Structures are given as C-alpha cells and as structure tokens.
Amino acid sequence: MSATHQDNDFLFKYIFSTDHKMIAKQFFLTGSIMGLIGMLMSTIFRLQLGYPGESFAFLEPILGSWAPDGVLTPDKYLALVTLHGTIMVFFLLTAGLSGTFSNLLIPLQLGARDMASGFMNMLSYWFFFLSSCVMIASIFVEGGPASGGWTIYPPLSALPEAIPGSGMGMTLWIISMALFIVSSLLGSLNYIVTVFNLRTKGMTMTRMPLTIWAFLITAVLGVLSFPVLFSAVLLLFFDRSFGTSFYLSDIYIAGQALEVDGGSPVLYEHLFWFLGHPEVYIILLPALGITSEVIATNSRKPIFGYRAMIGSILAIAFISFLVWGHHMFVTGMNPFLGAVFTFTTLLVAIPSAVKVFNYLTTLWKGNIKFTPAMLFAIGLVSTFITGGLTGIILGDSALDINVHDTYFVVGHFHIVMGLSGTFGMISGIYHWFPKMFGRMMDKNLGFLHFWTTIVAAYGVFFPMHFLGLAGVPRRYYANTEFPMFNEMYDINELITVFAIIAAVGQIFFIFNIFYSMFKGPKAPQNPWRSTTLEWTTPVEHLHGNWPGELPEVYRWAYDYSKVDENGDFVGGDDFTPQTVPLREGEEDLSH
Amino acid sequence: MIDLLILVAVVLGIIAVSKLISILGTVSAVKGENSYNVTDKENRTQARLMPVFLIVYFAFIIWQVVSWGDRVLPVSASEHGAIIDELMNITWIIIIPVFIFTHILLFYFAWKYAYDKNRKAQFFAHSNKLEMVWTAIPALVLLILILYGLSIWNDVMEPVSADEEPIEIELYARQFDWTARYPGIDGKFGEASVRMIEGVNFLGLDSTDKESWDDKYVKAEFHLPVNRPVQFYMRAQDVIHSAYMPHFRAQMNCVPGMITRFNFIPTKTTAEMREITGDEEFNYYLLCNKICGAAHYNMKMEIIVESEEDFNKWLSEQNEFLAVEGNSKDNSSEELSVPESDSTQTINEEEEQLSLVEKVN
Ligand code: HEM
Ligand SMILES: [Cu+2]
Ligand SMILES: [Cu+2]
C-alpha cells in the first residue's frame, strides 16, 4: 500500500491521519476533553445554585475576576451555563459521539477499507479541532464568552450592551459554530456516501447493523439541519456587525433607541429550532444505535424487531423536522401553529415507544452478560423512558405554558438527551475500546463507574422536576430573590451534592481509560463474541482494515443463539458471524 | 469549609481508585482470571443489583413526592389554570403507570435472564402482532391526549371578547424590572414606542396622544380584581423577557418589536390564597422567565388579587401619566431630541405602533 512510508511517520500517523480509526480516536479525545470541561463548568455553577452567595476560596485562583472573593458573579454564571450547554450538546454529544463511532464503525462494520474520502474526513476533524480551540479561546476574551444561553436568542446575543458576553465572546461563538458546522457537514456527507457506496459484498442495507442505520440517518439529519443553523447565525452575525436588522426591532438600550426596525427575534427562534430539535436526535440516534448493538450482543439474542427499529429511526428522523415549534409555544407564535406542533410532537412518542418495547423484548428470555457496556445500555433504556415520558407533558402546549423554561425542562432534557446520550457514548466506549486501542478496560472500575453514575445522575436530575413544578425558572443565578422559592434551598443543595458525586464518579472512567490504554490486557480477537465485521479485523490497527480480501457477508448481524431444527446452535456456538455462509435450508432474517 | 470537604473527597477518590485497581489486578492475576471477562459470580451480583436499583429508584421518587409534594405550586388561582391542572393530572395518571410498568419489566428481565451457561437464549427476532400492539396502543392513548390537550389549548388562548369587559393591562419588560400600565378612565392605552422614551417617560408614551394622558403605570406591584377577565399585552424594551405568573398558569414572552398577549380570570384573592396555603406571607409573583441578562434572576413584581372594590380604590390612588413629575402634554423636548434625518422614520414607526395598539384594542 502506498501509505507504508506514512505509517512510520509520526506526523501523518497521529496528527494528519486520513485513517478513519485514528480520526475516530482524535474525535474521541478532543470530544471527551471538551466534555470534561463542560462537566467541570456545571459543577462550578451548581455550587453557586446549591450554596448561593457562599464563598468558595478555591474558585478564586481558578476563575479570577469571574469569582471575586470566591463567589461567582451573575453574568459569569450565565457564561458558564451557556458554554456548558454548548459544549455538551455540540462538542461532546454531536462531534464527540458521532465523530468517534461513525468514524470507527462505519467502515469496520460495513467491510470498507476506509471512508469514502479520507482527506475530507481529516478536514472534518481539523475543523472540529479549530472550532473547539475558538470556543475555548472565547473564555479568555474581554467581556467573557457568550452568555445568552446555548440557544443564543437575539437581541440578547446581538447587543453587547445587554450582557458583556455578547461582545467579542459572542463573535467567537459564531465563528466557532461556523467551523463546527463545516466539520459536521464534511463528516456527515462522508458517512452517507460511505454507507451507500462502500458496503462489502453481501452487505445489503437490511443486513447492516442498527448502529450503521442510526449513524446514516443521523448524518442525513445533520446535513439537512446544520445549514439552517448556519444561516441563522450568519444573519445574527450581520445584525451584530453590519447593522442589519433581521432579528431586531424597536429596541432601546443603554440610554438610546437603536436604529433597528422591522426584524423579528421570533424568526431567529424558528431557524434555530429547525436545527435545534433534530439536533436532539442527532445526539440520541447514535446512542440508541449503539445500545441496540450492545443489548443484542450481551443478551445473546437478536435485536427484536429489526425492521421496526429501522422504521422507528426513519419515523423519528422524519417527524423531528416537523416539531421545532414546541420550543416556542409561548413566544407569541400564532396559537394555531402551536396546536399543529403539539400534534406532531406527541406523534414522536409512538416510534419511541416502539423502540423501548423492542429493547425490553430483546432482554426477555435472553442470556444476559452484564459487561459495563451492557449496564450503561440498560441505564440508557431507563433514562430514555424516564425522560421521554416527561416529554409528553412538555409537548402538550396547554401544559407547557406553565412549565416552559423551568427546571422541569432542565430535568427532562438532561435525562432524555444528556443522560441517554452520554450513557450511549460511554457504553460504546466500554464496548469498542478493544477495537480502538487494542486493549481491554477494567470491568470492576466499570461497575463502580456505572453504579455511581446512574445513582448520582438521577439524584441530580430527578429532583429538578419538583423545582420546575414549583415554578423555579431555569437560567437563574440564585433562587434567593423570590420568597416563594425560599423553601427550595435544600433541594438545590441535594442536587449539588449529587452533581459533585457524579463528577467525582467520572474519575473511575477517566482513570480506567488512561490506565487501560497503556496497561490494559491485550484484547482478544472477539472479546464480546459478536457477529459483526469489526471483530474480524486484526487487533493491531492496519491501514485498510483487512490484511487480505475484504470479508464477504452472508447474513444479518443478529444471529445470536440461532438454533437448527434439532435445537442445537447453528454452527455450534451461540453466535454466528456475518461472514459465515447460510447453511442449507437456513432462513436469512435480513429480508 | 465545603471546599475543603470537596477537596478531601476528590483526593480520597483518586487514592481509593488507584489502590483498588492495583488490588483487583493482583487478585485476578492470582486467580488466573482476566480483568475484563465478567465471571459468573460477578454476573449474578450485577443481576441482583438490578432489582435493588429498581427499588432504590422507586423509593427515592416516593421519598421526593412525600417530602417535596407540598412545595409544588398550590391550586391554580385562575379559571383556565384549573382546567390545565386537570389535564396535567390526567397526563400523570397515564404516564406514571407506563413508567412503573416499563421499569419493572426492564429490571425484572435483566435480573431474571442473567447469564446461565445451562440455558439458551430464545431466538425471537420479530412478531408482527406484538409490534402492532405496541404501535397501536401508544397511538391511541396519544390521540386522546392530543385531542384533549388541543381543546384546552384553544380555550386558553382564545382572546377575551369585549363584552366580557376585561381589565386591560400592559406588562412592560426591560432589563431588569417590570412595569404594569392601566389604560385609565378612557379605557384606551395611549400610543407608545421605545423611540419616545425620554427622561421620566421610560415607557415611551406619546404625550401628544391624549389617550395616554390618563394612563396609569406602576412598578413593584400591580393589582387585579378577582373573577374578572384580565387581558394582558406584553411589550419589551431591550431583549426578550417572559412574563411568567406560575400561580395563574400563565406565561407569555415579551418580544421587542411586537406585542404579545395572554388573558386569564383570577379566581382567588391573595387573602384567599394565604388561607389555602396556610402561609401568612404568601404572594403572587410575576417572574421573568426568559434569560435576559445578569439580573434575570431578580426581575420580579408582586401581584395582588383583591375584590373589585379594593381594586378600584387602589387604582384610583395611582398617578396618571400627566401627574408624574416631568411628563407634560406638549412634546417639545421629545421633538428636539430626534435628529432631523430620523423624523420620517419616527413617524412611520409611530403609525405602525398606533395601528398595532388599535388592532390590539
Ligand atoms: C455532571 C453533569 C451535569 C450537570 C450537573 C448539569 C447541570 C446543569 C444545570 C443545573 C443546568 C441549568 C442551569 C440553569 O438553567 O440555570 C444545565 C444546563 C444545560 N445542560 Fe447540563 N448538566 C450536566 C450534564 C449535561 C449533559 C451531559 C448535557 C448534554 C446534553 C447537558 C446539557 C445542558 C444544556 C443544553 C443546558 C442548557 C444550557 C442553557 O440553559 O443555555 N448537561 N446543566
Ligand atoms: Cu424539540
Ligand atoms: Cu427579564
């Protein structure tokens, strides 16, 4: 292969690599570091919420003028919330999640030598890397980073007079997102083209593992929705820098009326949520895809209702473009539109319910191995149910009137998107770590990690529903100014304590990753006894993935515990890899 | 103090982990196991933890309901709010059993079907019948919820008609306070625009418009008569705010450049609500519920609901626009402050604003 001389070259192997496996690792590391930063930010602002106004001396050296005398200031509180949301949604659970697993698994599970365009793939990573750098740099500019919430609604985000973070920090936020969108588009187009064109012989669309279906549809969602965000922030950029007024009208601020007329902030909200809602599924679908794979493998059973699973992915993706208005029930949008969006929103619950019941049936009469990956996958099913059900309340416009923008929402989306997304990602890391690094992670640390995480996570996010039902708004620096919230302080304190436990619990994970990366036992060929193609590649990474011919596929990916007419396992083992030809008279379940 | 505790916790955590891993590593090496294959014994332990977790999770939820159940908002203080609460309760009645049922299945299956090398997993790949069932049932339940929800939504959002004689109030939001404006004896709001903000006239009322002369505006608290429809018009001066009155199940964003509205009928006076909640100091509040800047968390106004008499008395004691020192009928100072080149735009703006207000009225 022409790449041999490159393989010895550090720069091209580790930095400007065009190998999808290396790029996956790059996305994984960058995304995780961003995720870690996002998590630490949440711990800091949680301290303020749990102990409002109390001085934490250790904050001063870290945060400097953001926390004079160890007390976070209100506008920097908002800055941290904004960056936390932005980082978690985009950097950790969009780029980090899709970037890692789409890159790693699409070629490996389809039997391809690499992505359709390795160069575009490399560019995708480097745009993401730049985007991360710009976002982090925005923390240090004068006025601080963007502070208007991760949704950056104008006019707040358009006017530096309104909040200091809307100065240079906001400009950098926009630049960072523009780079991010480029990265996402390059990546997504590549994934789509690869899935359609580079499947190995015999890998029909209906023989693909559900992971690939999920990554494919996620990429399609990204391609259709991110450009809309791009236009939204571009117009915002014009409003900020060139005096246009797409989003601005009738504004008086800092002692003078601005020369803006005729724009509407509601337009921005429509554009933003046209991306914003599909974005939720850009996070969720890969997590659900990973879960399908992990649950089937570790239950030693085929995923139940493979076609229904594909159908529900497609249905969710389609509907997700028709529901954005559920974020805007009380924006002054025409109530009739609100009614339409309620209708479409509640429809999403149907394919979601199908997915849940299919997971449950897959577990039923399985033979379950509780690997750490499996534990997190089961955790995901729990969070997906818990958070999904409260969505039925928020999606109902009449009910949303009173819980919109309260902590009920914060509880809901953290459980359904934040926890499901991170659980899916973590599950994927435990499961495919051997494929990424050729070594195994430690199971006992994995168990500890799972149990502390799920207990602490519910401890953080479940109580938030009660705050929301008591009327506590989100994005409040403190709940001290309204007598009606006086009795909430112990709930807030409890949440903060759990948030600290959750953060500390991640040390098990981080430690496990770094320890296993260098010192873990060498991975065997197929540690989880899976059927899919990635476990047929050599443990040591190889440019082009398979040393000889590409493998040929004869069956779908879920022949676990398949028995013949005598009740014996087909092929003698409780799994039959996709590369094993169908026996005489054996039914192929892929059609 | 707390920071010291946290620091100690973190340090202990790190020490514990590294100790643990070295101990576990040696133990499994001695036993000849590897550190990633889950042994049958461990698998059983994890399986047993499944129902344990389920019980802990449910117990935690019950504990929260018991200890915090009375901290959620009290009964609705508005007419439509009672209907919304009913819909909320019905939704809970549907959601909670689904939650309990699916969680029991999830953790029961996980426990029950833990790995056993003497058993084969059942190869069960699909069943159209089952899948039909769990597509159809949620669809049906959701259909009911959708129809029920929408009929309530339409009721709630229905504007009040003039024959119901609503009280009209404009809520004016800016960084970081609220102002409530009443139309005065003529029953009509004077025209207003942010371009006419000047000195004490911070609402930008048009002092050449005689409908504005008798307008009244108040800060810090505003009053409502009980059992009378209130039609709110929301206006924002700088960024988006949101007028959130949780006790009335009412919320509407205040958006610069447009006038939004919401209406409700308060059904319980402040005094009645104090009795219901058993809290002598209870008050209704208007909160800001859309991030609007540093003091977003402190943007509030008290709402007093009282009898119509008390309300009328209170309102009659408030100053009219012209009575506020610094405001006058002639608008000369305003005209002086507008640069020549802008006057046409200002006029257009005024007309637009006027027509908006007219539409609203
Ligand atoms: C240690 C874990 C986490 C904790 C303790 C935490 C805590 C919080 C809290 C308390 C808020 C609300 C602050 C406010 O509204 O005043 C918030 C906002 C948010 N969080 Fe998290 N969070 C965590 C993890 C995540 C994850 C994994 C995601 C991924 C989706 C996420 C996404 C968001 C978003 C999008 C917001 C909204 C930001 C905004 O209001 O602009 N968080 N987080
Ligand atoms: Cu949405
Ligand atoms: Cu506000």
Side-chain angles (χ1 to χ4, degrees), chain A residues 264-287:
Chain A
S264 168
V266 179
L267 169 65
Y268 172 85
E269 297 177 16
H270 280 294
L271 293 174
F272 180 85
W273 287 112
F274 189 84
L275 158 95
H277 191 84
E279 171 61 30
V280 173
Y281 291 99
I282 290 176
I283 288 173
L284 262 176
L285 289 181

Side-chain angles (χ1 to χ4, degrees), chain A residues 28-77:
Chain A
F28 167 60
L29 279 183
T30 317
S32 303
I33 290 170
M34 291 298 277
L36 206 62
I37 296 173
M39 186 183 73
L40 290 177
M41 288 176 165
S42 74
T43 330
I44 293 173
F45 65 68
R46 241 353 292 182
L47 278 180
Q48 157 61 24
L49 283 175
Y51 307 93
E54 218 161 293
S55 168
F56 297 96
F58 70 90
L59 287 182
E60 220 184 327
I62 313 175
L63 295 178
S65 65
W66 290 25
D69 303 322
V71 185
L72 192 62
T73 61
D75 60 324
K76 294 308 179 265
Y77 169 88

Side-chain angles (χ1 to χ4, degrees), chain A residues 264-587:
Chain A
S264 168
V266 179
L267 169 65
Y268 172 85
E269 297 177 16
H270 280 294
L271 293 174
F272 180 85
W273 287 112
F274 189 84
L275 158 95
H277 191 84
E279 171 61 30
V280 173
Y281 291 99
I282 290 176
I283 288 173
L284 262 176
L285 289 181
L288 292 171
I290 288 170
T291 306
S292 305
E293 196 60 21
V294 169
I295 287 188
T297 303
N298 290 295
S299 301
R300 315 308 296 162
K301 266 189 75 181
I303 191 82
F304 181 79
Y306 174 76
R307 310 207 122 215
M309 290 300 243
I310 297 175
S312 59
I313 292 175
L314 292 172
I316 288 175
F318 177 71
I319 300 172
S320 75
F321 278 107
L322 305 174
V323 301
W324 77 89
H326 62 213
H327 300 273
M328 301 169 60
F329 289 137
V330 296
T331 52
M333 182 176 78
N334 187 324
F336 175 73
L337 264 182
V340 174
F341 283 120
T342 295
F343 178 73
T344 53
T345 299
L346 294 191
L347 286 185
V348 186
I350 301 170
S352 308
V354 170
K355 286 196 100 61
V356 167
F357 285 116
N358 284 0
Y359 286 138
L360 293 178
T361 318
T362 306
L363 292 173
W364 180 69
K365 297 207 169 175
N367 214 3
I368 303 169
K369 276 273 188 195
F370 293 102
T371 62
M374 183 63 173
L375 291 173
F376 275 97
I378 291 174
L380 179 147
V381 178
S382 168
T383 56
F384 189 57
I385 297 171
T386 311
L389 286 171
T390 50
I392 294 180
I393 290 173
L394 292 163
D396 198 333
S397 49
L399 298 178
D400 186 57
I401 294 173
N402 217 49
V403 282
H404 177 76
D405 264 349
T406 64
Y407 262 85
F408 194 87
V409 178
V410 181
H412 157 75
F413 75 70
H414 273 95
I415 291 179
V416 77
M417 169 178 76
L419 293 187
S420 302
T422 38
F423 281 16
M425 182 165 175
I426 293 171
S427 172
I429 290 164
Y430 279 113
H431 195 77
W432 281 289
F433 192 87
K435 200 74 271 175
M436 289 167 85
F437 297 101
R439 291 174 187 270
M440 305 299 295
M441 287 179 80
D442 186 87
K443 62 185 171 185
N444 291 301
L445 284 176
F447 296 150
L448 277 176
H449 177 217
F450 172 71
W451 291 110
T452 38
T453 303
I454 191 159
V455 169
Y458 275 131
V460 171
F461 298 118
F462 210 99
M464 289 186 182
H465 297 105
F466 289 86
L467 292 176
L469 293 173
V472 178
R474 70 194 276 202
R475 294 162 172 172
Y476 266 27
Y477 165 69
N479 296 322
T480 48
E481 303 307 312
F482 289 84
M484 63 188 277
F485 301 144
N486 281 349
E487 50 181 12
M488 303 299 158
Y489 85 95
D490 61 340
I491 305 186
N492 271 318
E493 189 175 352
L494 184 79
I495 294 176
T496 299
V497 169
F498 274 120
I500 294 167
I501 296 174
V504 173
Q506 302 317 303
I507 295 175
F508 296 128
F509 187 46
I510 298 164
F511 184 84
N512 202 351
I513 288 178
F514 285 104
Y515 182 86
S516 309
M517 214 185 269
F518 301 107
K519 293 230 168 124
K522 283 258 182 317
Q525 181 66 38
N526 189 356
W528 320 119
R529 299 154 54 77
S530 294
T531 57
T532 37
L533 290 185
E534 76 273 28
W535 304 107
T536 63
T537 62
V539 175
E540 289 291 331
H541 282 182
L542 181 77
H543 206 72
N545 295 338
W546 283 268
E549 294 273 286
L550 287 176
E552 189 173 342
V553 165
Y554 299 96
R555 53 179 74 233
W556 74 335
Y558 297 102
D559 275 342
Y560 289 102
S561 303
K562 194 176 189 187
V563 287
D564 57 22
E565 47 292 354
N566 306 325
D568 296 326
F569 285 134
V570 170
D573 212 341
D574 71 347
F575 70 109
T576 321
Q578 288 189 277
T579 47
V580 176
L582 287 174
R583 258 141 253 261
E584 190 88 21
E586 192 188 342
E587 187 196 1

Side-chain angles (χ1 to χ4, degrees), chain B residues 86-344:
Chain B
E86 209 174 295
L87 173 64
M88 185 68 133
N89 290 337
I90 288 172
T91 311
W92 282 122
I93 289 171
I94 292 171
I95 286 176
I96 291 173
V98 176
F99 171 76
I100 294 175
F101 175 68
T102 47
H103 266 80
I104 289 178
L105 287 188
L106 174 64
F107 290 101
Y108 172 74
F109 287 169
W111 168 74
K112 174 90 205 261
Y113 299 109
Y115 190 78
D116 175 350
K117 58 177 172 301
N118 302 316
R119 196 164 52 82
K120 285 193 174 82
Q122 188 178 11
F123 189 85
F124 182 40
H126 71 100
S127 151
N128 287 343
K129 215 196 276 167
L130 275 178
E131 283 159 69
M132 280 305 283
V133 168
W134 55 61
T135 312
I137 292 179
L140 200 72
V141 174
L142 285 165
L143 196 68
I144 296 169
L145 272 183
I146 290 172
L147 292 177
Y148 183 23
L150 287 185
S151 76
I152 290 175
W153 169 250
N154 289 338
D155 279 0
V156 174
M157 299 313 279
E158 177 94 7
V160 211
S161 73
D163 0 311
E164 291 176 72
E165 297 182 5
I167 300 280
E168 293 185 302
I169 299 178
E170 179 193 75
L171 291 179
Y172 185 76
R174 64 171 187 179
Q175 288 179 328
F176 294 99
D177 62 18
W178 293 99
T179 309
R181 174 158 71 119
Y182 295 77
I185 27 173
D186 64 355
K188 293 205 176 99
F189 287 115
E191 190 205 322
S193 155
V194 293
R195 285 165 220 273
M196 291 182 271
I197 293 173
E198 182 71 48
V200 294
N201 180 13
F202 65 93
L203 290 181
L205 297 197
D206 179 359
S207 47
T208 61
D209 176 2
K210 59 180 185 304
E211 280 168 5
S212 74
W213 295 345
D214 63 346
D215 287 4
K216 297 182 165 187
Y217 51 86
V218 291
K219 299 180 92 131
E221 71 172 53
F222 70 98
H223 291 222
L224 299 175
V226 71
N227 292 330
R228 196 139 155 223
V230 190
Q231 176 68 59
F232 288 99
Y233 305 101
M234 282 84 174
R235 200 151 69 88
Q237 167 184 306
D238 34 35
V239 300
I240 305 177
H241 302 264
S242 187
Y244 181 38
M245 295 170 265
H247 299 101
F248 304 96
R249 314 294 186 255
Q251 172 160 216
M252 184 51 67
N253 287 2
C254 314
V255 185
M258 65 193 266
I259 290 174
T260 55
R261 40 161 131 185
F262 200 92
N263 65 77
F264 63 76
I265 305 176
T267 51
K268 296 186 175 64
T269 62
T270 301
E272 279 168 343
M273 206 57 164
R274 284 180 179 170
E275 223 158 88
I276 291 172
T277 57
D279 176 3
E280 275 304 292
E281 263 137 48
F282 175 88
N283 262 317
Y284 296 120
Y285 281 99
L286 164 66
L287 296 80
C288 179
N289 197 17
K290 184 61 79 188
I291 180 173
C292 62
H296 169 52
Y297 72 106
N298 186 16
M299 191 168 148
K300 62 171 179 274
M301 204 169 181
E302 248 171 60
I303 309 172
I304 313 280
V305 181
E306 57 200 1
S307 68
E308 185 126 14
E309 280 154 52
D310 290 349
F311 169 76
N312 289 335
K313 180 157 169 289
W314 171 81
L315 192 59
S316 67
E317 286 160 5
Q318 306 307 312
N319 275 338
E320 293 186 347
F321 172 62
L322 280 190
V324 176
E325 202 171 334
N327 289 332
S328 60
K329 281 184 200 178
D330 75 306
N331 208 12
S332 50
S333 62
E334 150 78 19
E335 257 149 31
L336 273 180
S337 74
V338 178
E340 204 61 62
S341 58
D342 265 344
S343 54
T344 49

